Amino acid sequence: MDHTPIKFAHHSLLNSLPDGVLMVDSEGLIAEINASGQRMLGKNADQMVGYPLIDVLPQSATHWRRARSGETVTSELQVVVDGAECVYELRISPIEDGTEYDGSRLITLRDITRYKNSELELKARQQLFENLVAVARATSEGATLQATLQNALDVTTQLTGAEYGSLFLLDSHGRVTHGILARGKTPPGPRRKIVGTVMDKGLAGWVVRHRKPALIADTVEDDRWVTLPNQPYAVRSVLAVPITSRADVPGVLTLQHSQPHHFSGADEELLRAASDQMALALRNAQIYEEQRRLADRQITLYEVLRTIGQHLEPNTVIHVAVETVRQITGWSAVAIVVPTVDGRRLIVEAAAGTLADAAEVHIPIDEGSCGRVYSNGTTLVISDGIEAGATPNLPQLNNAVLVPLRHAQQRLGVFIVQNGETGAFSDEDIRLAESLAEAVAMAVANARLFKAVTDEHSRLQALIQSSRDGIILIGVKQHILVVNDPALTYLNLYGEPEDWMYRPVQDALAVLRRKAPEIVRAAIAEIRRVGDTSGRGSEGEFEINSRTLRWLNLPVQTGDTPLGRLIVLEDVTKERALQRMRDDLTHTMVHDLRNPLNVVSGSLDILREQLQDLPSGEMAQTLKIARQSTKRMLNLINGILNISRLESGRMPLQRRSLDMAELITDVLDAQQPLAREKRLRLVYESDGVEPTVCADQELLERVMQNLVGNAIKFTPAEGIIRVRLDREVDALLVTVRDSGPGVPNEIRDQLFRKFVTGMHRERGSGLGLAFCRMAVEAHGGQIWLESDAEEGATFCFTIPDAAGNGNGREATSKEDGQGTT
């Protein structure tokens, strides 16, 4: 047979085709090959033309035998060209056209390597996705945190073919909180040692610190792998990955196999991709576990508080708390240690379980673990049966937690729980013990407080009932909280004090309205002040059943929280009768004295006129002193008469529209020489109110002169006196504040009565403040002392504003040449 190579008719056209094209004759010899075919097979035409196809392309032998039978064959070939694996689509077609090519075969090669690689990558991605779905499904099926950890370990072990594995969950400080060891269940002590070694020196710790996976093909050749003592299995290849969530590393997964080179890059990629899903699942399980533990803890606390809350005696609360905690928690021992009365030792007040024999045992307060916890106020955990500084007189504490009993910065004792039979305390057990200690401390403190309040209430009740004054305490909801027999007697109310307790005050007013209607209006006005937080008291007098009763309305509050008003009723019938006798005598004496003094004053004036041409000397000085003394005595007598007129209502008020700011300024100007003599500074301040009132100018000027004069009198040199004008509801408020020694406590309650003076060297006659009170009250206002004795004196009074038209401008202050007087 002629083996002359067949020549393609369109050789140049075939060479331009991207696919490889070969012509093989009927004997199986390559007759022709284009340029693409030469490139795809990595040989030139001389190395292939004239040679058998199965020698040049051995992979096509099977396909060629099928094609020789006349069949068109299509398949794939894997060919190594220049060291690279290529995949070609092979097509062998017979040529039967009656020409010189009849009986030959046309072979085409199409490079599908990129397509096949993409297909393989797609299949790998699909498998990865399926594996991730399996991981997601497995990690989401766990009902508890431990079950989620086990499911995550099981599914990753199955997908990678690992033989063993461990999974640790970490807190924000990198400490292992939960985990599964490759060797299975291990006692708490050895378990902690194994975990500590792995995280400190082993591969798991390395992964966490470097925050990246580690693939060890052979542990013999990698120092990062640490073989643990008594390890029950062989490990040659390891894959460890951090379980990451944002910036945290909440866990680490380690998979192991006894054969080297078991794990692949695909396994690492799978675990990398599954890390986020596992972190999310573990975080959700952790949140669920925390919520479950919190709910269990709350239930335990509720049961303990519910049980001990039924008792109010402190010692009973302690004994019931010990028994209840042991029953609910199942801990082997519970005890409460409290200080003795003298505070020198600690005593086991109550104990249950293995510490029951320690009841009533005394412990030095500054020795041992109990002493340290009581003194330092910090929790002490004793684990593994080791107690540093054993507590004297107590059995050695094994696996115990000692928690200080504290409430509101008060040290109450030490709460001891022990779990020696069931193993060491977990972090959750420690938190539960601390929560129980807090609950017990609160219950004990409340019981002690209740006992103290009960005892104090009994003493106070006895004091109230034994008082000669009537006492009524009205709560903020206008109910009578306390009332004694004298109050019922004075107000002519029926029954016993118990009959009026917790009744609305309106019930008492209904009785008073029938028996003493004249005092009901004043009583209603005072009752409305029950919720007043200003801290002001008020007082007054009224007549009932031939008695004169002086009443005080005092605020009762805790901090800024009002509790009600305390009304004190004092029978001043005899005192007022004596006062009227004294006032009548005083009035008579004053009238009898004024006429002779007027004669003396007139005579002195005549004598001064007759002696005015004589040289000044001792006689002129004596005359001057006599005239001043006479004038002072007349002023005193006139003051007493004015007070008497105010008391009796016989002094009519000359009301007219006044500018209160101008009045204050005029008074300060008049007092300025006295202030300058003592180097005092007078300051006037205002909040910008409309200062107009309708009042008696002469009386208000005397009120201001008395208050400012007293301030100047009692303020030491270099001091400051401030007068301020503010607006209140329908009234103007005037405040006079000095920097003097203040008002002595012993005269504060009687300060506005006549002839009341302190022990100061500069004390006056005791009529000035009494006049101020009567003048202010005659205008319908109030006057009071506001400041403490150590902070100078602050006198305040109000004058009703008939117009009530404050303009609310911003506050202004005038001082040192800018309005200072």
Side-chain angles (χ1 to χ4, degrees):
M1 179 179 294
D2 186 8
H3 294 291
T4 302
I6 302 173
K7 299 296 184 181
F8 290 124
H10 303 285
H11 184 76
S12 60
L13 177 62
L14 292 177
N15 279 335
S16 65
L17 294 176
D19 294 339
V21 179
L22 294 83
M23 181 69 73
V24 180
D25 61 17
S26 58
E27 298 298 326
L29 301 178
I30 297 175
E32 187 65 49
I33 183 171
N34 69 347
S36 295
Q38 297 175 47
R39 176 181 53 77
M40 293 171 68
L41 296 179
K43 299 179 181 179
N44 55 38
D46 294 339
Q47 294 173 303
M48 292 182 285
V49 174
Y51 291 90
L53 174 65
I54 59 176
D55 291 344
V56 175
L57 197 60
Q59 299 92 329
S60 64
T62 303
H63 308 301
W64 175 250
R65 285 193 293 270
R66 290 172 53 199
R68 295 191 66 177
S69 64
E71 180 182 353
T72 298
V73 178
T74 302
S75 185
E76 293 180 2
L77 292 181
Q78 289 187 346
V79 180
V80 178
V81 179
D82 296 333
E85 292 186 358
C86 300
V87 181
Y88 299 148
E89 182 184 71
L90 170 70
R91 181 179 178 84
I92 306 177
S93 305
I95 299 176
E96 297 176 349
D97 57 357
T99 64
E100 57 181 310
Y101 305 112
D102 199 353
S104 299
R105 301 290 187 274
L106 180 67
I107 300 177
T108 58
L109 298 173
R110 174 168 294 173
D111 191 347
I112 59 173
T113 303
R114 294 179 62 183
Y115 168 75
K116 294 302 292 184
N117 288 341
S118 297
E119 183 179 21
L120 291 175
E121 184 177 355
L122 180 61
K123 288 182 178 180
R125 291 294 176 184
Q126 182 178 1
Q127 185 62 45
L128 176 62
F129 176 75
E130 292 175 355
N131 291 340
L132 290 176
V133 171
V135 171
R137 183 181 297 114
T139 53
S140 62
E141 290 176 350
T144 64
L145 179 59
Q146 195 66 23
T148 302
L149 289 170
Q150 189 64 58
N151 290 347
L153 183 59
D154 290 344
V155 70
T156 53
T157 300
Q158 179 183 357
L159 293 176
T160 60
E163 294 176 342
Y164 309 100
S166 63
L167 179 57
F168 297 150
L169 192 61
L170 313 175
D171 61 15
S172 58
H173 301 288
R175 295 188 296 258
V176 176
T177 59
H178 300 80
I180 300 176
L181 294 179
R183 63 178 67 196
K185 293 184 178 180
T186 308
R191 176 188 177 87
R192 285 195 296 271
K193 292 181 180 179
I194 292 173
V195 172
T197 301
V198 170
M199 296 304 297
D200 184 34
K201 301 178 181 179
L203 184 63
W206 185 93
V207 168
V208 171
R209 289 190 295 272
H210 291 81
R211 307 172 65 86
K212 62 182 181 180
L215 176 59
I216 297 179
D218 193 342
T219 58
V220 176
E221 301 174 356
D222 198 312
D223 294 337
R224 292 177 297 177
W225 179 255
V226 176
T227 302
L228 299 172
N230 302 320
Q231 186 169 288
Y233 47 82
V235 179
R236 291 295 301 275
S237 57
V238 183
L239 174 59
V241 293
I243 300 174
T244 58
S245 174
R246 295 182 180 177
D248 298 328
V249 181
V252 56
L253 171 67
T254 304
L255 302 178
Q256 306 160 10
H257 199 276
S258 59
Q259 297 299 319
H261 303 281
H262 172 77
F263 299 104
S264 64
D267 295 329
E268 180 180 342
E269 184 180 6
L270 167 64
L271 296 187
R272 276 178 180 266
S275 173
D276 289 341
Q277 176 60 39
M278 285 191 290
L280 178 61
L282 291 174
R283 180 55 183 160
N284 290 339
Q286 193 174 20
I287 293 174
Y288 170 80
E289 191 78 6
E290 290 174 355
Q291 294 296 326
R292 184 187 62 79
R293 288 197 302 267
L294 180 60
D296 292 342
R297 192 191 315 165
Q298 294 296 332
I299 291 173
T300 301
L301 290 173
Y302 169 76
E303 290 297 331
V304 171
L305 285 173
R306 184 181 64 84
T307 304
I308 64 180
Q310 300 173 4
H311 305 276
L312 295 175
E313 204 283 321
N315 289 338
T316 304
V317 169
I318 291 175
H319 283 80
V320 171
V322 165
E323 293 293 342
T324 304
V325 170
R326 182 172 181 273
Q327 290 176 8
I328 293 178
T329 62
W331 289 332
S332 60
V334 180
I336 291 179
V337 177
V338 300
T340 55
V341 177
D342 59 11
R344 297 180 179 180
R345 301 178 70 81
L346 297 171
I347 183 174
V348 181
E349 184 68 28
T354 56
L355 290 176
D357 294 338
E360 302 297 328
V361 168
H362 284 70
I363 304 167
I365 199 168
D366 56 352
E367 296 183 19
S369 50
C370 275
R372 292 199 307 276
V373 171
Y374 178 77
S375 300
N376 299 335
T378 56
T379 299
L380 174 64
V381 179
I382 302 172
S383 58
D384 298 331
I386 301 173
E387 181 182 358
T391 296
N393 306 331
L394 271 186
Q396 181 168 333
L397 298 176
N398 178 29
N399 291 327
V401 178
L402 286 74
V403 185
L405 286 175
R406 283 179 172 267
H407 182 74
Q409 305 303 319
Q410 181 183 7
R411 295 186 298 177
L412 303 179
V414 180
F415 181 66
I416 304 174
V417 295
Q418 186 165 297
N419 203 23
E421 297 178 359
T422 58
F425 282 92
S426 65
D427 291 342
E428 179 59 29
D429 292 331
I430 296 172
R431 284 192 290 269
L432 176 59
E434 291 176 335
S435 299
L436 288 171
E438 184 177 353
V440 171
M442 181 177 65
V444 171
N446 288 342
R448 292 180 177 178
L449 178 60
F450 177 81
K451 185 176 185 302
V453 169
T454 302
D455 295 343
E456 188 64 27
H457 179 268
S458 299
R459 289 192 293 269
L460 180 61
Q461 193 69 22
L463 180 63
I464 290 173
Q465 293 303 329
S466 64
S467 174
R468 296 176 57 185
D469 294 334
I471 296 176
I472 305 174
L473 177 61
I474 301 176
V476 292
K477 295 184 178 180
Q478 298 190 2
H479 283 69
I480 298 174
L481 302 181
V482 175
V483 64
N484 64 354
D485 284 320
L488 299 181
T489 301
Y490 292 159
L491 298 178
N492 200 17
L493 298 177
Y494 61 83
E496 302 295 329
E498 293 77 11
D499 300 332
W500 292 93
M501 296 288 284
Y502 307 111
R503 288 179 60 178
V505 72
Q506 284 76 11
D507 292 353
L509 292 180
V511 177
L512 286 175
R513 188 172 284 110
R514 295 193 301 270
K515 298 182 178 181
E518 66 278 1
I519 68 172
V520 172
R521 283 193 299 272
I524 291 176
E526 291 302 316
I527 290 172
R528 288 173 178 169
R529 301 178 61 191
V530 165
D532 184 11
T533 60
S534 65
R536 294 185 195 169
S538 57
E539 61 180 300
E541 290 185 5
F542 60 83
E543 302 283 340
I544 182 172
N545 295 332
S546 301
R547 280 194 177 96
T548 301
L549 297 181
R550 177 173 178 262
W551 57 264
L552 294 175
N553 184 354
L554 305 173
V556 180
Q557 59 190 56
T558 300
D560 295 331
T561 304
L563 302 180
R565 284 272 170 167
L566 180 66
I567 298 177
V568 181
L569 303 174
E570 181 186 1
D571 187 352
V572 294
T573 305
K574 294 181 179 180
E575 180 181 344
R576 291 298 176 261
L578 291 174
Q579 184 175 349
R580 282 193 296 272
M581 292 176 61
R582 184 186 66 185
D583 290 344
D584 292 341
L585 179 60
T586 301
H587 189 71
T588 301
M589 292 175 61
V590 166
H591 269 284
D592 291 344
L593 284 173
R594 188 168 62 169
N595 289 332
L597 282 175
N598 283 330
V599 173
V600 171
S601 178
S603 299
L604 290 174
D605 288 340
I606 294 174
L607 183 60
R608 181 177 64 86
E609 291 177 357
Q610 294 177 352
L611 298 177
Q612 63 182 353
D613 295 331
L614 296 177
S616 60
E618 183 178 349
M619 181 178 296
Q621 184 65 24
T622 302
L623 181 61
K624 179 180 179 182
I625 294 174
R627 291 184 70 255
Q628 290 177 344
S629 298
T630 303
K631 185 177 181 181
R632 188 178 304 114
M633 291 180 65
L634 281 172
N635 289 337
L636 177 61
I637 290 173
N638 289 329
I640 295 174
L641 289 175
N642 287 336
I643 291 176
S644 179
R645 292 192 187 99
L646 286 171
E647 285 180 321
S648 61
R650 295 195 305 269
M651 177 178 284
L653 300 182
Q654 304 299 322
R655 292 181 182 270
R656 66 183 183 85
S657 180
L658 293 178
D659 186 322
M660 199 65 189
E662 182 179 346
L663 184 147
I664 294 173
T665 303
D666 289 344
V667 170
L668 294 179
D669 288 340
Q671 298 284 359
Q672 186 65 27
L674 292 177
R676 189 178 299 111
E677 183 179 344
K678 292 186 66 175
R679 301 190 305 279
L680 302 179
R681 189 152 52 96
L682 303 183
V683 178
Y684 169 63
E685 299 172 340
S686 172
D687 64 353
V689 301
E690 183 66 33
T692 304
V693 294
C694 186
D696 188 309
Q697 179 175 355
E698 181 180 353
L699 289 182
L700 289 189
E701 282 183 351
R702 289 183 60 184
V703 169
M704 288 301 306
Q705 288 169 357
N706 283 336
L707 294 179
V708 176
N710 284 345
I712 293 174
K713 184 185 302 181
F714 294 110
T715 302
E718 308 295 341
I720 183 171
I721 298 170
R722 296 182 182 275
V723 180
R724 182 173 179 84
L725 180 64
D726 294 292
R727 172 166 298 283
E728 290 194 338
V729 179
D730 296 334
L732 291 181
L733 171 65
V734 180
T735 304
V736 179
R737 178 180 292 108
D738 64 49
S739 56
V743 178
N745 290 327
E746 61 268 16
I747 66 169
R748 290 171 66 87
D749 294 338
Q750 303 177 355
L751 191 60
F752 293 99
R753 296 186 182 182
K754 291 180 292 185
F755 307 112
V756 174
T757 61
M759 300 302 295
H760 293 293
R761 181 172 59 85
E762 300 86 351
R763 67 182 184 273
S765 64
L767 294 176
L769 291 179
F771 172 82
C772 292
R773 176 178 66 83
M774 294 178 189
V776 169
E777 290 179 352
H779 284 82
Q782 288 183 312
I783 186 169
W784 65 93
L785 175 67
E786 190 170 81
S787 61
D788 294 334
E790 294 81 7
E791 299 178 354
T794 300
F795 287 89
C796 306
F797 71 89
T798 57
I799 295 297
D801 179 10
N805 57 352
N807 57 17
R809 289 175 290 179
E810 294 184 0
T812 60
S813 176
K814 298 181 179 180
E815 185 174 340
D816 292 340
Q818 300 180 9
T820 301
T821 61

